[in-house]
Structures are given as C-alpha cells and as structure tokens.
C-alpha cells in the first residue's frame, strides 16, 4: 500500500459494515497516513511484525480491501491472518482469493508452521471464509472481546502448513 491508496483505504477502513465486529474506532486521516507510511517501509525480522497487502480491483483501478498477517517472533513460526473488504465488493470471492494468496506466501515464502485467525462469532462471512480456506475451528472464546461496550464471543481457527500442503497437493522443501 502507498499514500496514493489513502482515499480507497479510508473508504473501507471507516465503513460501518467493515467495523461492525471490530473493537476499533474508524481511522482518522492522520492515523491512516501514518499506517500507510509504516507499511510502505515495513521489514520483517526475527522479532516478527505486521504486513498488510492491498486487494486491488483491476477493472475499477482501486484498492477495495486488504489481507494481513501478524507474525510472531521467527522462532515460533506462527502468524495470525485477517482481512477487510469494502462491502460493495464482498460476496464475489475476492477475499477468498486474496487470503489464499496470503496463505501461500506465508507457508512457502515465510515458511510458517501454523496460521490462526479469530473473528466475532456473529461474523458469519468471516468464519465461513476461514472454513473455505481449509482452516479448522479450534475454539469458542466466551466474552473475549469488548466491542462497542458489549462483551462478544470469538471463534479461533487454525491451519498447519502440512494441512495446507495436503490441500494444495504439493510438496515444498524446508
């Protein structure tokens, strides 16, 4: 992502439907600029970090969302993925395609062992996406996230590299 993506980035990052199940306030323009500046130069080292990739709609020539991974320290070989997509582009397979690419990058390039993802239990679209990706539900966390002053439950999903490789019917050397 780059500064040129600012308006597209803010369009989905401040959309009420996108924020519905998130424990965050809409981004201000100042915070969005700061985030984009940091992402433009992010380097992942042994201590991990957070990388976001833009989902670019070619025909509409705009950024419509993002997929990201929060990497734990390299020795742990784990990460947590997530996504956000503008509601006008949801339900068309874009998030699935982008998340599949992120999983491929994470398991083949970053050589991760395990990837997790968490969502509010009311967020049916998100947990169905996790299931389409081949992730398995590992837990139901009771009242684990305070969202808009109400404690909400969350589901945690996970996928191991060996499970992902089996679904891809490929092998990689480590």
């Amino acid at each position: 992502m780059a500064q040129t993506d600012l308006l597209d980035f803010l369009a989905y990052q401040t959309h009420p439907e996108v924020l519905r199940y998130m424990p965050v306030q809409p981004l201000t323009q100042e915070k969005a600029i700061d985030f984009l500046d940091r992402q433009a130069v992010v380097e992942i080292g042994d201590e991990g970090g957070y990388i976001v990739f833009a989902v670019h709609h070619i025909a509409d020539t705009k950024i419509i969302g993002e997929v990201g991974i929060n990497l734990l320290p390299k020795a742990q070989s784990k990460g947590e993925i997530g996504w956000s997509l503008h509601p006008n582009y949801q339900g068309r397979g874009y998030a699935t395609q982008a998340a599949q690419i992120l999983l491929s990058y994470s398991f083949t390039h970053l050589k991760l062992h395990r990837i997790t993802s968490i969502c509010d239990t009311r967020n049916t679209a998100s947990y169905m996406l996790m299931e389409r990706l081949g992730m398995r539900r590992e837990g139901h966390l009771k009242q684990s996230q305070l969202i808009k002053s109400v404690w909400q439950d969350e589901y945690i999903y996970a996928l191991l590299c060996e499970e992902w490789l089996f679904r891809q019917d490929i092998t990689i050397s480590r």
Side-chain angles (χ1 to χ4, degrees):
M1 290 190 172
Q3 285 297 331
T4 55
D5 301 321
L6 178 64
L7 294 179
D8 294 341
F9 180 67
L10 282 169
Y12 68 87
Q13 280 291 333
T14 60
H15 197 286
E17 282 300 307
V18 172
L19 298 174
R20 175 191 236 173
Y21 303 113
M22 294 185 184
V24 296
Q25 295 298 317
L27 277 181
T28 63
Q29 184 166 337
E30 180 181 313
K31 288 187 182 206
I33 289 169
D34 182 52
F35 177 82
L36 292 173
D37 283 344
R38 284 183 281 119
Q39 281 298 308
V41 296
V42 71
E43 289 186 31
I44 300 301
D46 289 344
E47 294 306 308
Y50 185 62
I51 309 173
V52 174
F53 298 95
V55 178
H56 186 260
H57 192 280
I58 295 170
D60 291 351
T61 63
K62 64 193 283 182
I63 301 302
I64 60 169
E66 66 190 54
V67 293
I69 185 162
N70 187 23
L71 296 165
L72 276 64
K74 191 173 185 175
Q76 294 187 35
S77 192
K78 296 192 294 189
E80 181 181 332
I81 61 172
W83 39 80
S84 295
L85 196 67
H86 193 286
N88 292 351
Y89 295 89
Q90 292 175 3
R92 301 183 194 182
Y94 298 135
T96 301
Q97 184 180 12
Q100 287 170 334
I101 293 167
L102 181 60
L103 286 174
S104 179
Y105 170 78
S106 300
F107 286 131
T108 59
H109 180 73
L110 298 176
K111 308 254 189 262
L112 295 184
H113 172 71
R114 176 181 166 85
I115 294 176
T116 59
S117 192
I118 296 176
C119 74
D120 187 300
T121 58
R122 300 169 299 160
N123 192 344
T124 308
S126 193
Y127 71 73
M128 288 178 68
L129 171 55
M130 292 177 214
E131 291 171 1
R132 278 194 305 278
L133 294 171
M135 300 180 87
R136 87 187 132 338
R137 187 180 298 174
E138 291 192 333
H140 182 157
L141 310 172
K142 298 288 189 174
Q143 297 184 15
S144 60
Q145 189 70 259
L146 190 62
I147 299 177
K148 298 174 184 45
S149 302
V150 178
W151 286 102
Q152 300 296 337
D153 292 1
E154 292 179 300
Y155 290 139
I156 183 165
Y157 280 75
L159 183 64
L160 298 175
C161 181
E162 62 193 39
E163 295 167 327
W164 179 81
L165 288 172
F166 180 77
R167 288 178 56 93
Q168 307 306 308
D169 195 29
I170 60 173
T171 58
I172 60 172
S173 54
R174 293 205 176 246

